[in-house]
Amino acid sequence: MPESEEFDVVVVGGGPAGSTLAALVAMQGHRVLVLEKEFFPRHQIGESLLPSTVHGVLRMTGVADELAEAGFPRKRGGTFRWGANPEPWTFSFSVSPRMSGPTSYAYQVERSRFDEILLNNARRVGADVREGCAVVDVIADDERVRGVRYTDADGAERRALASFVVDASGNKSRVYQRVGGTREYSEFFRSLALYGYFEGGKRLPAPNSGNILSVAFPSGWFWYIPLSDTLTSVGAVVRREMAEKIQGDRHKALMALVDECPLIGEYLADARRVTSGPYGELRVRKDYSYHHTTFSRPGMVLVGDAACFVDPVFSSGVHLATYSSLLAARSINSVLAGRVEEPRAMREFEARYRREYGVFYEFLLSFYEMHHDEDSYFWQAKKVTRTDRPELQSFVELIGGVSSGDQVLTDADVVAKRLAAGSAEFADAVGTLAGDADDSMVPLMKSSVVREVMQEGGQVQMRALLGADAEPEAPLFDGGLVPSADGMFWQDTDRAARTADGAGE
């Protein structure tokens, strides 16, 4: 029998999801083991952050000040050449009342450095972090998951037993399969990305020089992310039916796509591609959007990309990873402290995470509807389903398993109307913004699809900054839970009210 150790929580994977959860649970005095199969620093994609991650979740883990000192470029918003208007348009985080002032920015990060900072922070606050350790399988019986089997850095097989196993191992691991259910891929965001790195690329004019630039072109869209004064991450996301455009010689393929997109060509006119070191390889990522049909079972929970992922045009990857870890950490902390029973705590985690994923999914549908016309996803849905229903209803029925809020999208008529209204409203707002001489972003922020995407991030950010002084939150659904004043636990609304009145703990 391999050597066994006992912990409260075993976290599989040391990326942003795993290190965030490990820190938030270890900070409560629990025994946390993080098993990471690679040795950091290592390459990873997903380099553009959102303010709620930087000033919300990561402030709660205690790493925000270190990130501020790391010298990452500040991202004040996003710049897009997208939609019907041929002129690029820009949005700024500062127009949101919840994100205005000193926290109205995020970072563009080299993930090798960023992830290492987060993992080292988890160590610093008490987690036992072991790199070069690959999880082989979970240990389970009929009642629950009890731990994991893994090989250590020397190749020896070991066992780690725990009250909870958290799968934060990303999109390539197969550990998630042990939670049950299936991984379902979106029929509309199954894109492929070909990306690399360039030195000497052009920058947007100040004060937006740190913004991500996203540019639609006939085959898909480009990201252009400044990682330093000179280094830029450049990637082309192409639709599945155009996969042949990224086959063969990858450098030739990428430059051919650049030739299709004049604005990116302009920004790379004086740049050279990095061909050596950690950024010297041209890489491909596929199967961009999916969700698992269940996020938990007794003793096990999925966070980050192990649970779901959505097309990254709005930089949601690290946000969803760290936000899901905050939700799961609240649930685990609450169960280990005896405050909430496990089934109820995990229902809260799953409902909230599915809601956030669903909001971004619907938001992206509205956004993509601006980019495509006769080739829209709605029109494609009608072809795929071979129905005589309207295009939008065909589309909604096809994606009927995607969650929004705590409800499954089962009423195609209702959702179709909401998506149609959201897409039109968003397109009108962007059109106004692109043509506005004073660059006012008020119309965009009044758009319901934008407002809903920003709402939860703003709540997390305000709670991290204000703690007990933050405004009380309402339950997501009837009988649901709300965060404690410090954001580390779940509690009933009556307990929250007593705490606010000074009669609770």
Side-chain angles (χ1 to χ4, degrees):
M1 178 69 68
E3 180 183 346
S4 293
E5 297 175 275
E6 293 190 6
F7 298 88
D8 296 307
V9 179
V10 172
V11 182
V12 185
S19 57
T20 296
L21 185 138
L24 292 170
V25 175
M27 289 167 69
Q28 299 304 312
H30 301 303
R31 299 167 300 165
V32 180
L33 173 65
V34 179
L35 299 172
E36 167 55 49
K37 70 177 181 179
E38 298 187 49
F39 289 93
F40 282 31
R42 54 88 175 99
H43 172 79
Q44 187 56 272
I45 194 62
E47 297 145 327
S48 196
L49 307 186
L50 297 182
S52 61
T53 300
V54 174
H55 306 291
V57 181
L58 298 185
R59 182 161 297 282
M60 294 176 66
T61 68
V63 77
D65 291 342
E66 186 175 353
L67 289 175
E69 296 168 359
F72 294 124
R74 287 195 176 190
K75 169 188 172 182
R76 301 183 185 279
T79 299
F80 293 83
R81 164 61 281 279
W82 202 289
N85 194 306
E87 295 301 316
W89 51 274
T90 296
F91 78 90
S92 295
F93 298 126
S94 61
V95 300
S96 167
R98 293 182 180 275
M99 298 182 190
S100 60
T103 62
S104 58
Y105 64 89
Y107 299 118
Q108 313 285 20
V109 298
E110 294 181 68
R111 284 288 302 275
S112 57
R113 295 174 55 210
F114 174 75
D115 290 11
E116 189 170 34
I117 289 171
L118 266 58
L119 190 62
N120 286 337
N121 180 67
R123 280 192 177 99
R124 187 163 50 247
V125 298
D128 182 346
V129 176
R130 302 178 189 177
E131 297 174 69
C133 295
V135 171
V136 177
D137 199 2
V138 304
I139 300 168
D141 54 32
D142 291 341
E143 293 183 358
R144 63 186 295 113
V145 170
R146 305 286 183 181
V148 301
R149 293 189 297 110
Y150 71 99
T151 55
D152 64 19
D154 296 321
E157 184 169 316
R158 305 179 67 174
R159 291 159 49 100
L161 306 178
S163 299
F164 288 97
V165 170
V166 178
D167 181 12
S169 56
N171 69 311
K172 294 180 180 178
S173 167
R174 294 292 176 262
V175 177
Y176 74 90
Q177 296 173 343
R178 298 289 270 127
V179 84
T182 57
R183 179 175 286 185
E184 297 188 353
Y185 291 90
S186 166
E187 284 298 322
F188 301 96
F189 294 128
R190 293 189 77 169
S191 304
L192 300 94
L194 171 62
Y195 67 96
Y197 297 82
F198 290 78
E199 282 282 351
K202 182 180 174 181
R203 291 290 178 262
L204 289 161
N208 299 319
S209 55
N211 279 11
I212 183 173
L213 173 63
S214 299
V215 183
F217 70 109
S219 299
W221 64 275
F222 266 97
W223 76 68
Y224 189 94
I225 302 174
L227 299 179
S228 73
D229 289 342
T230 61
L231 181 66
T232 308
S233 171
V234 180
V237 179
V238 301
R239 301 195 299 278
R240 179 175 49 181
E241 61 268 27
M242 297 188 178
E244 73 278 357
K245 291 192 175 226
I246 65 171
Q247 294 174 352
D249 184 297
R250 290 184 176 179
H251 178 78
K252 290 181 179 178
L254 181 59
M255 299 318 295
L257 291 167
V258 170
D259 288 342
E260 286 188 38
C261 187
L263 184 56
I264 294 298
E266 174 192 336
Y267 271 67
L268 291 177
D270 297 323
R272 63 172 182 82
R273 188 173 72 81
V274 178
T275 56
S276 62
Y279 294 126
E281 180 183 350
L282 287 172
R283 296 175 170 91
V284 173
R285 170 98 188 252
K286 63 180 181 178
D287 289 335
Y288 255 44
S289 296
Y290 56 83
H291 73 282
H292 205 66
T293 54
T294 181
F295 290 174
S296 66
R297 64 178 280 194
M300 183 176 179
V301 60
L302 310 180
V303 296
D305 292 0
C308 57
F309 188 77
V310 68
D311 184 292
V313 69
F314 266 87
S315 312
S316 56
V318 175
H319 163 70
L320 289 173
T322 56
Y323 176 66
S324 65
S325 292
L326 170 62
L327 298 176
R330 285 174 181 164
S331 295
I332 290 170
N333 286 341
S334 299
V335 174
L336 293 178
R339 295 190 181 194
V340 182
E341 292 184 354
E342 183 176 340
R344 190 179 183 200
M346 289 305 167
R347 280 198 303 273
E348 190 70 36
F349 155 75
E350 184 150 349
R352 286 178 178 263
Y353 192 20
R354 286 193 183 278
R355 175 188 180 276
E356 191 73 355
Y357 173 81
V359 163
F360 269 92
Y361 195 99
E362 287 193 29
F363 179 39
L364 285 162
L365 300 180
S366 297
F367 196 65
Y368 268 88
E369 187 62 3
M370 293 166 55
H371 174 35
H372 300 290
D373 39 51
E374 71 275 7
D375 291 325
S376 76
Y377 292 120
F378 301 144
W379 183 78
Q380 290 288 343
K382 187 170 182 178
K383 288 205 307 182
V384 169
T385 56
R386 296 186 175 89
T387 69
D388 57 1
R389 297 180 180 87
E391 287 88 344
L392 187 53
Q393 185 172 338
S394 299
F395 171 79
V396 172
E397 290 176 350
L398 187 59
I399 63 156
V402 179
S403 299
S404 175
D406 61 328
Q407 300 292 324
V408 173
L409 300 184
T410 53
D411 189 332
D413 289 330
V414 171
V415 177
K417 290 176 182 176
R418 187 167 76 244
L419 282 173
S423 297
E425 179 189 41
F426 188 42
D428 288 346
V430 168
T432 301
L433 172 61
D436 199 330
D438 66 2
D439 201 30
S440 169
M441 285 155 287
V442 173
L444 184 64
M445 293 305 150
K446 286 185 175 179
S447 165
S448 61
V449 288
V450 176
R451 193 168 60 246
E452 191 169 3
V453 161
M454 297 182 72
Q455 181 175 4
E456 184 63 23
Q459 287 276 25
V460 172
Q461 194 167 320
M462 293 299 289
R463 183 164 295 283
L465 292 169
L466 299 179
D469 294 330
E471 61 186 56
E473 294 182 35
L476 183 63
F477 53 87
D478 289 342
L481 301 166
V482 296
S484 59
D486 61 5
M488 295 289 192
F489 299 88
W490 296 121
Q491 61 187 20
D492 285 304
T493 50
D494 59 344
R495 180 178 181 138
R498 291 198 307 272
T499 301
D501 291 339
E505 57 181 1

